[in-house]
Amino acid sequence: MLYVRRDANGGIAAVATSRQPDFPETLAADDPDLLACLRGAGAGVTTEALASTDLGLVRVVEDLVTALVERGVIRFTDLPEEARLKLSQRQGLRHHLRGLNPVDEDDAIL
């Protein structure tokens, strides 16, 4: 059994695994309301966590492509045209921004 606290609208606001004074209601682990609440909470956290890594991962992919091209593992022209255009555009934007706000390459966040 799990213990739940509901909000003013009757929705599940919090879940506890042990009996506590502010968790008056018990529900079975397979209760549909409880499962829906847990799925909703998990989806939000997962989506936010995933989205928070996007920008950093983009830079990792750019750096990986650059390293592979510089080492001759692949040719830039081997990439699909759309990928080449996006990489070139981002490289140009970073170069332009570095010119506006020069920083050490190691300190760059762009």
Side-chain angles (χ1 to χ4, degrees):
M1 291 305 254
L2 294 170
Y3 303 86
V4 298
R5 179 177 12 157
R6 294 194 180 263
D7 60 22
N9 297 324
I12 296 174
V15 179
T17 57
S18 62
R19 183 177 299 277
Q20 298 177 28
D22 55 342
F23 288 77
E25 185 180 350
T26 59
L27 291 177
D30 63 349
D31 181 274
D33 285 346
L34 181 61
L35 292 174
C37 174
L38 294 175
R39 273 194 297 271
V45 170
T46 302
T47 302
E48 290 172 14
L50 184 61
S52 72
T53 65
D54 286 352
L55 186 57
L57 185 58
V58 167
R59 186 57 195 257
V60 168
V61 170
E62 289 178 68
D63 291 345
L64 176 63
V65 169
T66 299
L68 292 173
V69 169
E70 287 175 354
R71 293 179 183 184
V73 176
I74 63 170
R75 292 182 311 243
F76 188 71
T77 55
D78 292 339
L79 299 171
E81 182 179 0
E82 190 171 329
R84 291 192 313 263
L85 290 172
K86 287 180 181 181
L87 287 166
S88 294
Q89 181 183 28
R90 287 187 54 84
Q91 182 181 30
L93 289 170
R94 273 197 315 279
H95 180 73
H96 176 72
L97 288 173
R98 267 195 297 270
L100 295 176
N101 185 21
V103 294
D104 257 1
E105 185 68 27
D106 293 335
D107 295 333
I109 57 171
L110 303 172

